[in-house]
Amino acid sequence: MTVTSELQDFIAGLPKAELHLHIEGTLEPELKFALAQRNGIELEHSSAEEVRASYDFDSLASFLTVYYDSMRVLVTADDFYDLATAYLTKAASQNVRYAEIFFDPQAHTSRGVPFATVVGGLRRALVDARRDLGIHAELIMCFLRDFTAEHAMSTLMESLPYRDWILGVGLDSDERGNPPAKFAAVFARARQEGYLLTMHCDIDQEGTHEHIRQVIEDIRVDRIDHGSNAFERPELVAAIQERGLGLTCCPISNGWVVDGVKETEIVGLLEQGVKVTINSDDPAYFGGYVAENYERLAEVAGLGREQLARLARNSFDIAWLSGRERERYLAELDAYAGA
Ligand SMILES: [Zn+2]
């Protein structure tokens, strides 16, 4: 079963915010080849089709292996600029009005690419896209949780000269054996420096309920990435609601790294009034940008316009936006979908 073309059009035009998107995960095979050529880097595959065929993940770990290897082609500020510009062009075409974009500085600085190169190229793309495409985007710096807390802290210090260009910090990569508590001091310091806080609680991870508890009670995050396993524990749902925390869910990505889209959890939380949102995570690897993620969820859960508009409304409600800008987008949404 697929959604009707009428619902597809409705989704495409729905004003929305994207809040869970790894810029490195938007590297399409065609751009990967172009950047490899520009930088004189040999690739294992000989065509974009071959690269796509190799994307056959069945777990978070198997995905991450391919993911980090691809980043070798990102070397200069222009490479990061082109990467972000390609994403923002695609997002604007799906009426993403506002995006908060994750980037992983350690995945680049650990290969010898300077922090300034990464953030400089990305920032230039964001500024140009706001002028040329009318899409507003901001950056969230993620720490790699399989690296040490010391490495995260030194990366935090390295980011401070660019504080005005970075809205908040997050935590991603392999969760196994790397609980939120490992980074408590780093996130406490990040808060002191004025950053907003979010953390990944990936789906069906070992210890996931305890990890969700830690991000809420110990780290005191401003948002949770994924985190839909909270659905299984009423006390976690209550804590999320009490603090008004949003969840950034990624249906298509769930289908790759675990068994299924997790529509029961996502829609179940939505119906309980939790601010869940729909996002694309790593669209070049999982084969779907944000509109396709709304479509997939609508398809498997049988959602209609009202629920889809509610998901889009949540995305503006929990975005790290100024009140005025939020009101402007919500008015657009009301005009489109009916208040
Ligand atoms: Zn993610």
Side-chain angles (χ1 to χ4, degrees):
M1 197 190 84
T2 53
V3 297
T4 62
S5 65
E6 202 190 336
L7 198 60
Q8 234 171 5
D9 291 346
F10 175 78
I11 289 169
L14 196 59
K16 45 184 111 52
E18 177 150 54
L19 307 174
H20 186 150
L21 179 280
H22 301 269
I23 200 63
E24 293 88 352
T26 68
L27 180 62
E28 293 286 351
E30 289 76 12
L31 183 60
K32 182 176 171 180
F33 269 91
L35 297 182
Q37 196 169 30
R38 186 154 93 187
N39 294 317
I41 292 166
E42 287 275 337
L43 292 178
E44 187 191 336
H45 301 284
S46 58
S47 70
E49 290 69 40
E50 239 181 69
V51 173
R52 270 203 183 91
S54 74
Y55 292 172
D56 184 22
F57 326 111
D58 56 3
S59 66
L60 183 61
S62 65
F63 158 68
L64 290 171
T65 305
V66 176
Y67 183 62
Y68 290 123
D69 181 65
S70 296
M71 292 186 201
R72 291 183 296 132
V73 304
L74 297 164
V75 181
T76 67
D78 282 347
D79 299 340
F80 288 93
Y81 177 90
D82 290 347
L83 179 69
T85 300
Y87 162 69
L88 289 162
T89 304
K90 178 73 182 180
S93 80
Q94 297 190 336
N95 213 18
V96 172
R97 305 289 291 115
Y98 174 72
E100 288 171 7
I101 297 177
F102 295 136
F103 71 111
D104 283 329
Q106 291 162 291
H108 311 299
T109 54
S110 63
R111 302 182 285 117
V113 178
F115 190 97
T117 300
V118 180
V119 76
L122 294 175
R123 177 67 188 176
R124 184 154 52 88
L126 268 48
V127 169
D128 287 359
R130 195 163 189 182
R131 182 194 62 209
D132 300 337
L133 301 167
I135 180 172
H136 177 194
E138 296 288 341
L139 295 174
I140 297 174
M141 174 174 77
C142 284
F143 303 112
L144 300 181
R145 67 197 312 159
D146 39 1
F147 283 30
T148 63
E150 290 72 23
H151 201 296
M153 188 64 97
S154 67
T155 301
L156 178 64
M157 294 302 113
E158 215 177 344
S159 77
L160 293 181
Y162 306 94
R163 174 65 196 80
D164 290 349
W165 292 357
I166 301 169
L167 210 51
V169 296
L171 185 69
D172 61 10
S173 201
D174 199 347
E175 190 166 331
R176 225 173 105 110
N178 298 299
K182 174 178 166 185
F183 296 92
V186 178
F187 277 68
R189 181 61 190 265
R191 186 195 300 283
Q192 279 173 9
E193 298 294 346
Y195 288 115
L196 291 162
L197 311 183
T198 186
M199 279 185 168
H200 277 54
C201 290
D202 272 274
I203 309 297
D204 293 349
Q205 293 287 305
E206 206 177 292
T208 187
H209 300 115
E210 167 58 14
H211 291 186
I212 295 170
R213 190 205 62 75
Q214 287 178 11
V215 303
I216 299 170
E217 291 179 6
D218 303 341
I219 311 293
R220 289 179 293 115
V221 291
D222 300 289
R223 188 151 84 207
I224 303 172
D225 299 312
H226 298 295
S228 54
N229 285 97
F231 180 70
E232 294 139 10
R233 297 290 162 90
E235 70 276 15
L236 292 176
V237 175
I240 286 168
Q241 282 174 318
E242 195 186 306
R243 291 167 171 78
L245 293 176
L247 263 52
T248 63
C249 301
C250 310
I252 294 180
S253 140
N254 292 347
W256 281 89
V257 297
V258 291
D259 187 19
V261 165
K262 299 291 179 188
E263 70 276 13
T264 305
E265 291 80 351
I266 296 171
V267 177
L269 289 164
L270 179 71
E271 295 306 335
Q272 290 178 62
V274 175
K275 300 273 181 194
V276 291
T277 62
I278 299 306
N279 309 272
S280 69
D281 209 0
D282 300 286
Y285 292 88
F286 300 134
Y289 285 80
V290 69
E292 289 79 20
N293 274 273
Y294 276 80
E295 281 175 28
R296 177 68 68 84
L297 186 67
E299 180 189 331
V300 298
L303 301 187
R305 290 182 179 217
E306 187 276 325
Q307 285 156 308
L308 295 166
R310 197 155 16 120
L311 289 163
R313 171 170 289 276
N314 286 351
S315 72
F316 293 120
D317 280 346
I318 69 161
W320 293 338
L321 278 166
S322 72
R324 245 171 98 177
E325 193 175 348
R326 188 192 324 280
E327 290 310 314
R328 186 152 54 82
Y329 296 135
L330 287 173
E332 272 181 39
L333 177 62
D334 287 343
Y336 181 84

